[in-house]
Amino acid sequence: MIPAPFDYVRPSSLEEAVSALADAGEDAKVLSGGQSLLPLLRLRLAYPSVLVDIGRLPELRGIRDEDGHVLIGAATTHDEVLRSPIVHAECPLVALATATVADPAVRHRGTFGGSLAHGDPAGDLPAVAVALDMEFVVHSPSGERVVAARDFFLDYLETALGPGEVLAAVRVPKLGEGWGFHYEKFHRTAQAWATVGVAAAVRVSGGAGGGPRRVEEARVALTNMGPTPVRATQVEAACAGVELNGSATGYAAATPNGAGPGAGLDTRNGCGPGGGHSALREASAAAAEGTSPPADLHGSPEYRRHLARVLTHRALLSATTPA
Amino acid sequence: MTEELDAGLVGRQIAESGMLGEPAPDRHEVGAARRRKEDARLVTGRTHWTDNHQLPGMLHVAFLRSPMAHARIVSVDTSAARGLPGVVAAFSGHDLAAEQGGLPCAWPVTEDIVLPEHPPMAVDMVRYPGEAVACVVATDRYRAADALEAIEIDYEPLPAVLDMTAALREDSAKVHEAGNRAYTWKYAEGDIDAAFRDAPVLIERTYVQQRLIPSAMEPRAVVAQSEGDHFTLYSATQIPHILRIMLAQVTGIPEHRLRVVAPDVGGGFGSKLQVTAEEVLVLLLARRLGKPVKWTESRSEGNLTVHHGRDQLQRVALAADADGRLRGLRVDLLADMGAYLMLVTPGIPILGAFMYNGIYKMDAYDFTCTGVFTTKMPTDAYRGAGRPEATFAIERLMDELAAELSLDPIEVRRRNWITHEEFPYTTIAGLTYDSGNYEAATEKALALFGYDKLRAEQSDRRDRRDPVQLGIGVSTYTEMCGLAPSRVLGSLSYGAGGWEHASVRMLPTGKVEVITGVSPHGQGHETAWSQIVADALGVPFEDISVLHGDTAISHKGMDTYGSRSLAVGGIAVVRACDKVKEKARHIAAHLLEASADDIEFDGGTFRVRGTDSGRTIQEVALAAFAAHDLPEGVEASLDSDATFDPENFSYPHGTHLCAVEVDTETGATKIRSYVAVDDIGKVVNPLIVAGQVHGGLAQGIAQALYEEAVYDAEGNLLTTTMADYLLPSAADLPEFVTDRTETPATSNPLGVKGVGEAGTIASTPAVVNAIVDALRPYGVHDVPMPCTPERIWRAVQGATS
Ligand SMILES: Cc1cc2nc3c(=O)[nH]c(=O)nc-3n(C[C@H](O)[C@H](O)[C@H](O)COP(=O)(O)OP(=O)(O)OC[C@H]3O[C@@H](n4cnc5c(N)ncnc54)[C@H](O)[C@@H]3O)c2cc1C
């Protein structure tokens, strides 16, 4: 558990960071919160020559409400994200997913940008990024470029970030009125990574005197169902136009023990098999299409495909439940 | 009164300075929920753990560990490592072969047991992944770790031996020349054939006790130092005394020149009841290099090489009458020894042999256990050690019997358990349970749990075909602990006795030092022993300090494991206090010019019966110290030693009830409520008891739901980090409802039984019984442990499709 030797630099500006990286060459690595990188070093699964620590750069930290989007600095910690009123008001899905990341200790160190730059499909934020079509602001010696979420995640632990590039900030588009959100994470213990996760954003029209409630648009993305986060496009298509009959409420948040002591598995009223939203259940049946989930100690691919369907249904139900 | 006391100048100064202690106020310490004395330093870490010892000139060793499960070592080249900066030495197994000896096994359970040579560092063969094959000693641990990468080893891979059943076949690859069967041990009582012949009910099952990795908060650490021809070894161990004898035997360092210290130790759960390869090697390196040497394991190194627990295949059969009355029980066990027999490896499943009958009466019992070698880390004691496995099997079987007969699981137990009037009761396994009241504990548990209400909810959910089903699990356990009677241990071929030792010494100022032979590593002995001594001697709790864990201070002891500390070591303390009191009574009589027969002792003061005239025990201590005026033939000390060797084990018991919600769509489980009513006899400190029960429950629940050491088909351990080897945290566990009933043990004067393992032993079957109970309508009658969501989902799929 002792890393191989490496050099360490702590630049005092983004510009310095970019040039330090350029100087250090291919084997240099950006260090942000270190919650993913340091374990790799300690297990000697990575041998960087230099770590360029951007974790304390003021210009990479903070959350701003800008026109049409929320700008989150890459080195903003998960904990800061969770405490941001802007995030809760303008992009609640980010808060919902971040709240499920690890534990308070990790959330105080780990960063928003680090979670995305790491490109781990088991992380909770990549799926949110693709569901919300976030934009990645990337700096390199040749200047700034912006990468769309769908082009950012290339493979397992591989992103569009080239050597020498630093993720400076992420723009989270504001979706406007009528949207409901949910992040459904299935994990075995409170601190564990997602076996499977589902991020859902659904726009519903009608209700409260305005006629039947109808799904206008749905965005669904899956965590840990392949080497990158996956948009469940078939589910999204199948959801569009679904009428949400009756006063049905959300369903069976089948949280494992990790969800905290006290309450039981929550079967929020009567949406058992065949009940209320069978159309959403049907739409969810396609959730695992086109995925290639991993096999590991927490689940086989077959089980993960099954979970993706069940959890997608639950995420859609919760996202369409009026607050 | 002190003016009257002729204790000389020093004595008068002591008395006048206020240093002399005073009797305790009139209160009972035993039974009080005292906060633990030791916690401030343990919780803040401001204390001596082995790893924070810094000795002048200290070197650090790192071990290169085999990446293979089974291989011949063709060559080891350490020359490049030796040339690296900061590196002092590097050794292969060959370099150490002449002096390293073999690791001991102190429990050869049968005459014909195969006891393979166990070199601390592999010489020609590796037999499990993680086995040490070379080491680097450097000026700091970072350089040592870096230099490991420069060692070249050439292995010739051999087939891994992983499955016990396959390992016993003729054509299996062999872990050792002598074959893969280590031993077969049998026990039989009653006419088993008659019990099974024409039995109206027969339940046959196979249960797998998965392999577990003990995960103490403090990793193992060792520091060794030589001073001339004397050696000191600091180790995060549970067993400093046993370790000293064993290290003397292995290394040839004479016992009197070897001091072993267990400083504060952060948990063990059996994993530090061992003589480890690293302890031997660090000591040898310190001897060879003439400098202090330190080693502290990393967590992933620990997962590979701390001895593992459980890993048994249980084939069990239960014969019963149509009314559920038990006729006979057959147990055929395969126990995975791993690659070698370590300190008590072979004996662990044998401890279980006496527990498969649980709290029940039956006509016949037949037990066979075969120990099997595999290319895995050796197994050995882990919290409960043999008893959790046995309890799991019988408690699962009782639930299966209930289901088979459509009886309530409580009712089936009631029809078979030993009733409270029947104690002492000699069981079919040959133990004599001295006391207990299973009816009382069960009644209390049922009431706290709200059993009938939960059963009603269960049937409602079944009727509604709720995707979230409710299951109720019962576990009415007992266990044998307080290891214990030396005569019994001898009859089981155990390598030593089970007595315990204590010294109590009164200091001149009336304060007390207690030296205990048990070796706490988180249990709170300093507090509990202080409570015992406070009541026995009438001195304040605060005036007592408890010393332990250093063979130079605590010169005799059998250490801590098997829930023995209080029931054996605590009683030795009581006995030593009795002797101190008796000495003090004679001195007091002399000072008071009365006959010793007329002296009574109460509340810390010796008084002449029927008068006001008296001396506090502190005054007597001071007088003994001054020794100016002692009775003829009385030594100038108020110290005493005592050794206690009980006649019997202690038998805690209890009833645990667990309600689990099971999401049949995902396989997720959630423990809704958990009630533990334990009978551990008299209680010295209810807070410490609650702590032991809570931690024990967490560990037992962890076996049911989370933990499993997994080796892949090549024999690599996959669960080397905590991301893969899942441990529950507080967030994953329910609030526990704990309560007690009290039937005092008859085998010791305090009436206490052990509580260290009870929670672990009871809880695993309670949880699995609950999960299976939830799924019975789906035709499920077992889920293998750990009951992961996927396994539960598959069980539902398999049964419904
Ligand atoms: C015990 C534990 C449990 C966890 N559980 C979860 C969980 O349940 N869900 C979850 O989503 N995450 C989990 N995490 C990971 C956590 O969210 C991390 O914060 C995150 O993965 C990485 O963020 P970081 O700031 O620590 O990045 P680092 O570890 O510093 O870096 C990670 C990688 O990203 C690169 N990088 C970081 N920042 C930048 C940048 N600005 N520009 C370019 N490259 C960059 C680094 O070079 C490195 O390759 C867990 C971590 C731990 C230790």
Side-chain angles (χ1 to χ4, degrees):
Chain A
M1 284 309 258
I2 291 171
F6 55 83
D7 287 332
Y8 172 85
V9 287
R10 175 139 42 103
S12 52
S13 68
L14 177 56
E15 204 184 321
E16 255 183 67
V18 168
S19 69
L21 273 178
D23 294 347
E26 287 263 325
D27 293 335
K29 274 259 168 212
V30 172
L31 174 69
S32 188
Q35 298 301 293
S36 293
L37 186 54
L38 292 190
L40 293 179
L41 298 192
R42 291 165 70 94
L43 293 166
R44 298 203 174 206
L45 295 171
Y47 289 79
S49 54
V50 184
L51 294 188
V52 178
D53 186 350
I54 57 146
R56 286 181 244 188
L57 288 180
E59 61 201 290
L60 294 189
R61 296 183 80 149
I63 296 160
R64 281 207 304 273
D65 192 348
E66 299 191 335
D67 234 15
H69 64 255
V70 174
L71 186 83
I72 303 180
T76 309
T77 65
H78 296 308
D79 186 67
E80 287 162 350
V81 167
L82 279 177
R83 288 172 198 277
S84 160
I86 301 172
V87 169
H88 284 276
E90 300 296 343
C91 45
L93 186 56
V94 171
L96 290 170
T98 302
T100 72
V101 170
D103 52 40
V106 171
R107 293 198 293 265
H108 272 84
R109 288 245 170 219
T111 65
F112 186 71
S115 282
L116 297 166
H118 193 48
D120 185 344
D124 297 297
L125 296 174
V128 174
V130 300
L132 297 181
D133 290 329
M134 293 184 194
E135 292 177 336
F136 293 72
V137 182
V138 177
H139 279 240
S140 71
S142 46
E144 182 184 299
R145 67 182 179 116
V146 175
V147 184
R150 66 177 168 280
D151 302 324
F152 186 78
F153 301 101
L154 302 182
D155 205 341
Y156 180 70
L157 303 189
E158 204 182 312
T159 68
L161 290 171
E165 286 192 315
V166 176
L167 175 63
V170 179
R171 294 181 194 146
V172 188
K174 296 181 186 174
L175 292 185
E177 294 299 298
W179 288 84
F181 303 96
H182 189 72
Y183 185 70
E184 183 77 30
K185 177 171 178 171
F186 189 89
H187 50 162
R188 287 182 55 199
T189 60
Q191 285 174 309
W193 297 76
T195 307
V196 173
V198 181
V202 187
R203 187 158 61 85
V204 176
S205 64
R213 299 180 68 243
R214 231 169 76 96
V215 173
E216 296 297 330
E217 186 184 353
R219 298 178 180 196
V220 178
L222 308 175
T223 296
N224 217 5
M225 286 296 290
T228 62
V230 192
R231 274 287 277 267
T233 48
Q234 290 193 37
V235 176
E236 294 177 354
C239 281
V242 162
E243 297 222 343
L244 304 169
N245 39 9
S247 59
T249 53
Y251 164 81
T255 41
N257 295 324
L265 289 174
D266 176 7
T267 55
R268 285 175 252 165
N269 295 333
C271 285
H277 299 308
S278 53
L280 289 182
R281 182 182 282 274
E282 273 164 35
S284 304
E289 296 300 315
T291 62
S292 45
D296 61 28
L297 294 173
H298 307 311
S300 65
E302 182 192 4
Y303 176 60
R304 284 192 156 98
R305 285 197 188 91
H306 166 77
L307 278 183
R309 292 186 281 266
V310 175
L311 302 179
T312 296
H313 180 218
R314 292 177 184 184
L316 289 170
L317 282 169
S318 292
T320 54
T321 301
Chain B
M1 281 183 245
T2 39
E3 309 83 86
E4 300 169 21
L5 195 68
D6 181 8
L9 183 61
V10 175
R12 226 165 291 130
Q13 282 170 349
I14 287 175
E16 282 160 16
S17 69
M19 282 163 65
L20 189 65
E22 285 175 13
D26 196 13
R27 74 177 171 219
H28 287 292
E29 285 292 346
V30 169
R34 274 275 185 191
R35 296 242 188 140
R36 305 198 329 173
K37 285 186 166 183
E38 48 275 77
D39 279 355
R41 71 170 201 274
L42 295 182
V43 169
T44 59
R46 288 182 191 189
T47 186
H48 275 297
W49 308 107
T50 298
D51 184 60
N52 52 29
H53 282 81
Q54 297 295 349
L55 303 176
M58 191 163 73
L59 302 173
H60 298 257
V61 60
F63 294 101
L64 187 65
R65 300 193 173 276
S66 169
M68 312 232 168
H70 195 193
R72 198 177 306 285
I73 301 174
V74 180
S75 64
V76 181
D77 183 355
T78 57
S79 53
R82 266 185 267 130
L84 291 174
V87 172
V88 174
F91 300 105
S92 68
H94 264 288
D95 299 332
L96 301 174
E99 58 175 312
Q100 71 172 348
L103 294 177
C105 173
W107 201 347
V109 292
T110 61
E111 291 287 325
D112 62 349
I113 190 170
V114 175
L115 279 173
E117 273 291 297
H118 186 182
M121 183 177 285
V123 181
D124 297 313
M125 296 279 283
V126 290
R127 295 190 169 89
Y128 64 90
E131 192 169 355
V133 288
C135 67
V136 171
V137 184
T139 49
D140 64 52
R141 61 182 305 209
Y142 311 98
R143 291 191 155 110
D146 289 344
L148 290 184
E149 297 197 345
I151 296 176
E152 302 262 342
I153 303 207
D154 195 6
Y155 296 100
E156 182 190 316
L158 297 167
V161 179
L162 301 167
D163 178 81
M164 287 192 279
T165 312
L168 290 175
R169 286 193 209 114
E170 280 297 310
D171 60 352
S172 170
K174 285 182 185 172
V175 183
H176 298 284
E177 279 303 307
N180 296 335
R181 180 190 302 268
Y183 68 85
T184 296
W185 191 96
K186 288 173 183 289
Y187 176 90
E189 183 65 40
D191 187 343
I192 196 76
D193 293 330
F196 275 78
R197 201 177 309 124
D198 308 322
V201 188
L202 176 63
I203 312 251
E204 284 183 276
R205 295 285 186 269
T206 299
Y207 296 124
V208 177
Q209 294 289 327
Q210 80 270 31
R211 182 174 272 258
L212 301 179
I213 303 178
S215 306
M217 185 115 53
E218 183 203 17
R220 289 176 302 157
V222 190
V223 174
Q225 173 182 29
S226 66
E227 290 145 312
D229 58 2
H230 281 64
F231 295 85
T232 303
L233 180 111
Y234 301 88
S235 180
T237 180
Q238 297 174 222
I239 54 161
H241 299 95
I242 296 173
L243 186 59
R244 174 159 86 154
I245 303 168
M246 291 294 163
L247 285 175
Q249 192 179 313
V250 174
T251 63
I253 297 170
E255 198 183 349
H256 65 295
R257 288 200 243 125
L258 178 60
R259 171 182 166 213
V260 173
V261 184
D264 275 328
V265 175
F269 312 113
S271 71
K272 294 171 182 170
L273 161 52
Q274 193 53 272
V275 178
T276 66
E278 293 82 2
E279 284 162 333
V280 171
L281 292 169
V282 168
L283 181 57
L284 294 179
L285 291 168
R287 179 166 77 179
R288 190 148 167 164
L289 301 170
K291 290 199 168 175
V293 176
K294 183 198 276 189
W295 170 76
T296 300
E297 76 184 350
S298 69
R299 185 62 66 176
S300 41
E301 195 178 20
N303 277 17
L304 277 164
T305 62
V306 76
H307 73 238
H308 292 174
R310 317 281 191 260
D311 207 344
Q312 298 177 4
L313 183 71
Q314 305 173 303
R315 288 166 295 199
V316 285
L318 190 68
D321 285 331
D323 62 359
R325 203 192 58 83
L326 300 185
R327 296 163 62 117
L329 175 66
R330 241 192 219 124
V331 177
D332 186 2
L333 216 61
L334 296 183
D336 194 334
M337 305 281 102
Y340 295 98
L341 303 182
M342 296 193 72
L343 192 61
V344 289
T345 301
I348 299 305
I350 307 308
L351 274 178
F354 303 98
M355 287 281 106
Y356 275 87
N357 51 302
I359 62 169
Y360 311 112
K361 297 174 278 192
M362 59 184 75
D363 305 330
Y365 172 49
D366 188 274
F367 175 92
T368 304
C369 172
T370 296
V372 184
F373 290 115
T374 60
T375 54
K376 299 182 190 170
M377 182 64 208
T379 54
D380 208 316
Y382 179 50
R383 203 168 188 175
R387 291 153 287 158
E389 298 92 314
T391 304
F392 180 89
I394 186 65
E395 290 304 302
R396 284 285 297 110
L397 283 174
M398 292 306 280
D399 261 35
E400 293 301 304
L401 177 62
E404 180 78 21
L405 296 174
S406 301
L407 285 171
D408 186 285
I410 300 279
E411 179 56 27
V412 160
R413 286 167 170 82
R414 229 175 237 137
R415 289 183 191 180
N416 286 289
W417 69 36
I418 301 157
T419 62
H420 70 275
E421 306 90 359
E422 292 174 289
F423 290 95
Y425 183 91
T426 299
T427 72
I428 194 80
L431 296 176
T432 301
Y433 294 173
D434 63 327
S435 69
N437 188 333
Y438 308 138
E439 302 94 313
T442 303
E443 282 317 314
K444 196 165 199 172
L446 290 172
L448 286 168
F449 189 66
Y451 188 78
D452 295 335
K453 204 162 160 231
L454 283 165
R455 282 279 179 221
E457 178 181 336
Q458 174 181 53
S459 84
D460 178 55
R461 286 193 189 227
R462 284 181 180 176
D463 293 346
R464 282 192 290 117
R465 301 180 172 234
D466 193 324
V468 177
Q469 289 287 321
L470 182 69
I472 294 169
V474 180
S475 171
T476 49
Y477 78 100
T478 188
E479 62 128 339
M480 60 192 276
C481 67
L483 304 178
S486 299
R487 262 182 297 151
V488 178
L489 294 178
S491 74
L492 292 172
S493 318
Y494 186 71
W499 49 263
E500 196 45 81
H501 176 264
S503 310
V504 170
R505 51 193 192 211
M506 298 232 30
L507 305 179
T509 56
K511 316 285 174 173
V512 185
E513 281 179 339
V514 180
I515 295 153
T516 178
V518 296
S519 197
H521 40 283
Q523 293 87 349
H525 296 162
E526 291 174 31
T527 303
W529 280 209
S530 296
Q531 291 178 270
I532 292 172
V533 172
D535 278 4
L537 299 182
V539 298
F541 174 81
E542 296 76 13
D543 283 2
I544 300 156
S545 98
V546 179
L547 311 176
H548 53 78
D550 180 344
T551 59
I553 294 170
S554 161
H555 58 290
K556 276 176 82 160
M558 295 302 287
D559 308 316
T560 288
Y561 42 86
S563 305
R564 68 188 302 276
S565 291
L566 177 58
V568 191
I571 307 306
V573 171
V574 172
R575 292 278 169 89
C577 287
D578 289 345
K579 291 187 185 175
V580 166
K581 263 188 307 198
E582 188 53 20
K583 273 191 180 179
R585 196 164 64 91
H586 282 95
I587 298 173
H590 177 76
L591 295 174
L592 294 165
E593 294 171 351
S595 148
D597 295 337
D598 292 333
I599 300 289
E600 36 180 41
F601 182 65
D602 185 40
T605 301
F606 293 92
R607 254 181 249 286
V608 183
R609 192 169 294 126
T611 75
D612 281 348
S613 133
R615 286 285 186 282
T616 67
I617 193 165
Q618 289 87 354
E619 289 167 340
V620 175
L622 187 56
F625 165 71
H628 294 172
D629 182 21
L630 292 180
E632 203 64 34
V634 168
E635 287 176 19
S637 90
L638 262 191
D639 304 350
S640 270
D641 277 34
T643 305
F644 179 66
D645 197 344
E647 305 253 289
N648 196 352
F649 298 101
S650 87
Y651 301 97
H653 71 82
T655 297
H656 287 211
L657 298 171
C658 175
V660 175
E661 290 184 8
V662 182
D663 180 339
T664 56
E665 290 190 341
T666 62
T669 53
K670 177 154 185 103
I671 299 178
R672 245 275 283 281
S673 58
Y674 196 104
V675 169
V677 174
D678 296 297
D679 191 325
I680 53 159
K682 291 279 184 194
V683 166
V684 172
N685 183 327
L687 267 185
I688 292 180
V689 166
Q692 289 292 328
V693 172
H694 280 232
L697 294 178
Q699 261 167 314
I701 291 170
Q703 176 172 12
L705 296 179
Y706 300 112
E707 295 186 36
E708 181 173 31
V710 182
Y711 287 86
D712 70 11
E714 279 74 52
N716 304 302
L717 183 69
L718 299 180
T719 48
T720 55
T721 73
M722 285 192 175
D724 297 310
Y725 189 82
L726 284 194
L727 295 173
S729 67
D732 302 304
L733 297 164
E735 239 167 86
F736 300 124
V737 177
T738 63
D739 208 334
R740 284 183 279 109
T741 55
E742 197 172 294
T743 49
T746 61
S747 53
N748 66 67
L750 287 182
V752 296
K753 312 174 188 174
V755 69
E757 295 154 297
T760 308
I761 291 168
S763 55
T764 310
V767 175
V768 178
N769 276 341
I771 291 170
V772 174
D773 185 53
L775 299 178
R776 285 209 195 271
Y778 295 77
V780 172
H781 63 76
D782 194 28
V783 178
M785 292 191 293
C787 303
T788 64
E790 176 159 3
R791 283 180 177 164
I792 289 171
W793 174 70
R794 284 190 184 283
V796 173
Q797 297 300 302
T800 50
S801 64

